[in-house]
Amino acid sequence: MTHNKAASFGARLEQLLAQIYPEPDTGILATKVIEAFWPEGTHRRTRQRKPGNNMWSQRDAVLITYGDTITDGVNKPLELLHDFLVTHLDGVVNGVHILPFFPFTSDDGFAVTDYRKVNPVLGGWGDVARIGREFHLMSDLVLNHVSSQSPWFNEFRQGHPPYDEFFVTADPDEDFSQVVRPRTTPLLQPVETSDGVRNVWCTFSHDQVDLNFANPEVLLEILRIIRLHIDMGVRIIRLDAVAFIWKRVGTSCIHLPETHAIVKLLRLLADFATESVVLLTETNVPKAENLSYFGHRDEAHSVYNFPLPPLVLHAMLSGSASYLLKWQRAMPPAPLGCAYLNFTASHDGIGMRPAEGLLPEGEIARMIDTVKAGGGLASMRALPGGGEAVYELNTSYFDAMTQTFAGEDDLKTERFLCSQTIVMSLEGIPAFYIHAMLATPNDLDAVERRGMNRAINRHRWDYPSLREKLADRTSDQARVLSALSERLKLRARQPAFHPNATQFTLSLDDRVFGIWRQSLDRTQSIFALHNVSDQEVELPATALNLIEDEAWADLLTGEPVRPGEGAITLAPYQCRWIANFV
């Protein structure tokens, strides 16, 4: 039996490698792949891990943060992050995504110079591993590109093998009009090399040079890096900008078949790893393209639910959940063994591409104007064939709630808490950017100082000042962190909030985003109701399918709810989790 399973692994591996690299001897390459991912002294499972619902539970919630979001000028930032996690988030989140913690030259860590080192300004591998022992640790595999000042690129410029074939080069006279990318800078950058001027491909910036995955040596090097990260305690691998990794001139150079085959190869290796490794794809693109990275349960374990940030924002600003409800009704449940990663705020802006086709242009324009009126900014992307469109809104999610389409009011905090509770209620794993948990305001000084819009939502907290804020119960920071922590702890005890528990979208009132969740064993039901408006909303109790011979109560208030009697009232921006047992 073991022999057959091992053979099926080998056959599947060779099949995928033949799709990606038809030229080389796939048998030899398969051996190199195995040696890269399972070096001497390590071993793989004899049987493939079967897809199931046991890799995560309702207890899972992830914090997203930079390694240096919290500083004090004395201690290592990763030590301070650890202290913040165990002091303030114990039992609140059990996963931590540390954004790129490697040495870098630009883009706040996404122009990596060395994947094998921890940026000494942050700390060392020991600090990373310490967090990994107490929390599910996610690392960024920035696999599309490296820094133009990295040792690999320096070796490329000098023509030293194997790095002389590590980067994508192209003839500037070729047709690149179909290439999809999220930036407006020129695609190709001429650089001096020992072989003369070569034009290197830069999807994102001229300091981020794209790796040439058509060279199998690049894939092997990335696999060795993944193995190092796993050995250091990383259990969730975030595949950054993975949609762009394969290039073919004359195509869009996004979501190409070879790209999906590489993700399938990584999933195959993860399924045979003795460690429980989860693959998360970062593909900030429209719905169908994003969902394609689940494959047939053979690609990513998890994908970002990218339409959520703009759709939730629109609901909160407009006072109507109509577009959010329409989208949610059409969303399929994640396949067996897969889960959505739900979020509203991240280190980047609020991406607008996932809203394409979901929100009318007029509604998007109103969102942009309202966010700008609250102190936010907008970033542009180049359109194929010329022109520009808004790529993302740059704002802290807390300050995005400063005003609605109707103007300013005094309900900002309630509005914000409602937006985050929606994330907790939905099918999938909830993730929270540290600046959402801390109600961080827009950092316009950082925008001016650093000359980049995204700095608005990448504030660095002075730890003594932050502790002072959190000790003051009246501060935004203390109020929001306390409320979100309380709800997340409560959520963790509800089996109906398992990431794969049944979900049904309710049709109640456009001002209410309502969903029904039922636990995998069908014992618990929760009707999660979220009033996205500044008005009180009354719903007849008969609008919910509350089984009559069971006791129902609002988990958030403890208030009993009697089936078929009277009305269920929601105050402006109130959320209610009506469950049949607590």
Side-chain angles (χ1 to χ4, degrees), residues 2 12 60 74 99 103 110 115 124 149 228 231 246 259 327 343 412-413 444 478 517:
T2 302
R12 179 73 180 131
D60 288 312
V74 179
L99 288 149
F110 286 90
Y115 294 97
Q149 296 168 60
L228 170 66
D231 289 346
W246 199 273
T259 297
W327 164 76
F343 72 110
K412 176 181 180 177
T413 300
L444 291 167
R517 304 294 310 279

Side-chain angles (χ1 to χ4, degrees), residues 387-515:
E388 291 184 344
V390 172
Y391 176 66
E392 64 183 20
L393 293 173
N394 299 108
T395 176
S396 80
Y397 217 81
F398 183 66
D399 269 4
M401 301 293 155
T402 299
Q403 61 185 62
T404 67
F405 290 172
E408 278 196 57
D409 56 26
D410 58 358
L411 295 168
K412 176 181 180 177
T413 300
E414 290 80 359
R415 195 156 43 241
F416 177 72
L417 292 175
C418 178
S419 75
Q420 302 308 296
T421 307
I422 288 173
V423 172
M424 298 181 203
S425 305
L426 285 169
E427 177 202 339
I429 300 165
F432 302 89
Y433 188 37
I434 191 169
H435 291 308
M437 296 289 283
L438 294 174
T440 307
N442 286 334
D443 192 342
L444 291 167
D445 289 342
V447 174
E448 194 171 332
R449 188 172 66 250
R450 302 183 59 200
M452 58 182 277
N453 285 356
R454 284 180 168 177
I456 198 170
N457 194 27
R458 298 179 180 180
H459 180 71
R460 289 198 179 97
W461 277 104
D462 172 64
Y463 202 21
S465 303
L466 177 59
R467 280 198 298 246
E468 207 173 283
K469 292 266 191 191
L470 294 176
D472 174 6
R473 291 185 180 183
T474 65
S475 73
D476 289 336
Q477 285 65 44
R479 288 172 65 207
V480 167
L481 183 61
S482 172
L484 293 179
S485 297
E486 193 177 312
R487 289 184 185 186
L488 278 166
K489 286 179 178 178
L490 180 64
R491 178 190 182 278
R493 300 197 296 272
Q494 315 308 321
F497 283 142
H498 184 285
N500 300 113
T502 297
Q503 176 170 292
F504 182 79
T505 310
L506 304 174
S507 297
L508 301 166
D509 181 305
D510 277 353
R511 295 168 293 176
V512 177
F513 180 70
I515 50 173

Side-chain angles (χ1 to χ4, degrees), residues 119-181:
N119 182 352
V121 172
L122 302 178
W125 275 117
D127 301 299
V128 172
R130 183 186 185 192
I131 293 172
R133 283 193 292 272
E134 296 175 54
F135 296 87
H136 300 308
L137 182 61
M138 186 193 307
S139 74
D140 258 292
L141 186 68
V142 187
L143 76 169
N144 180 70
H145 48 261
V146 298
S147 166
S148 66
Q149 296 168 60
S150 65
W152 291 2
F153 195 62
N154 287 336
E155 293 289 303
F156 164 83
R157 293 179 70 162
Q158 293 172 55
H160 295 160
Y163 303 101
D164 56 337
E165 298 296 334
F166 254 48
F167 297 91
V168 180
T169 59
D171 181 345
D173 292 331
E174 290 187 283
D175 180 10
F176 303 103
S177 60
Q178 291 185 55
V179 174
V180 172
R181 50 194 293 260

Side-chain angles (χ1 to χ4, degrees), residues 1-14 44 46 272:
M1 189 59 149
T2 302
H3 173 76
N4 289 339
K5 285 290 179 183
S8 68
F9 164 76
R12 179 73 180 131
L13 178 60
E14 289 195 27
R44 66 177 186 267
T46 54
F272 277 91

Side-chain angles (χ1 to χ4, degrees), residues 192-433:
E192 289 286 347
T193 74
S194 59
D195 295 329
V197 174
R198 297 182 75 181
N199 291 279
V200 294
W201 194 292
C202 301
T203 298
F204 290 88
S205 81
H206 285 176
D207 190 38
Q208 293 163 297
V209 188
D210 288 30
L211 288 166
N212 178 22
F213 277 88
N215 174 4
E217 292 300 323
V218 170
L219 177 66
L220 294 171
E221 192 64 15
I222 291 295
L223 293 179
R224 293 181 195 108
I225 288 159
I226 294 175
R227 168 47 57 190
L228 170 66
H229 290 200
I230 293 170
D231 289 346
M232 291 300 178
V234 170
R235 290 297 176 264
I236 307 167
I237 308 286
R238 178 183 185 267
L239 303 177
D240 177 66
V242 66
F244 302 98
I245 62 174
W246 199 273
K247 282 79 176 171
R248 189 179 302 116
V249 175
T251 73
S252 63
C253 297
I254 186 171
H255 316 307
L256 295 185
E258 292 86 350
T259 297
H260 283 284
I262 288 172
V263 177
K264 287 176 182 177
L265 185 145
L266 296 178
R267 172 64 180 264
L268 181 68
L269 298 178
D271 282 349
F272 277 91
T274 53
E275 306 86 357
S276 179
V277 177
V278 170
L279 296 179
L280 169 67
T281 48
E282 186 267 327
T283 49
N284 192 352
V285 292
K287 170 184 154 184
E289 298 166 44
N290 191 33
L291 295 184
S292 72
Y293 284 87
F294 280 141
H296 297 288
R297 303 187 311 184
D298 59 353
E299 291 191 41
H301 295 92
S302 186
V303 303
Y304 281 89
N305 214 340
F306 275 112
L308 261 186
L311 286 174
V312 170
L313 179 62
H314 178 270
M316 306 315 302
L317 300 188
S318 68
S320 170
S322 57
Y323 292 105
L324 180 61
L325 286 162
K326 183 181 178 184
W327 164 76
Q328 188 58 66
R329 286 187 194 107
M331 280 293 283
L336 181 69
C338 300
Y340 293 110
L341 189 80
N342 297 323
F343 72 110
T344 56
S346 76
H347 64 291
D348 289 339
I350 299 165
M352 298 309 291
R353 278 210 71 203
E356 291 172 12
L358 301 177
L359 289 171
E361 287 188 18
E363 294 298 306
I364 290 174
R366 290 178 81 189
M367 282 173 66
I368 294 166
D369 290 344
T370 305
V371 166
K372 283 183 173 178
L377 305 167
S379 294
M380 312 303 288
R381 69 181 177 96
L383 295 173
E388 291 184 344
V390 172
Y391 176 66
E392 64 183 20
L393 293 173
N394 299 108
T395 176
S396 80
Y397 217 81
F398 183 66
D399 269 4
M401 301 293 155
T402 299
Q403 61 185 62
T404 67
F405 290 172
E408 278 196 57
D409 56 26
D410 58 358
L411 295 168
K412 176 181 180 177
T413 300
E414 290 80 359
R415 195 156 43 241
F416 177 72
L417 292 175
C418 178
S419 75
Q420 302 308 296
T421 307
I422 288 173
V423 172
M424 298 181 203
S425 305
L426 285 169
E427 177 202 339
I429 300 165
F432 302 89
Y433 188 37

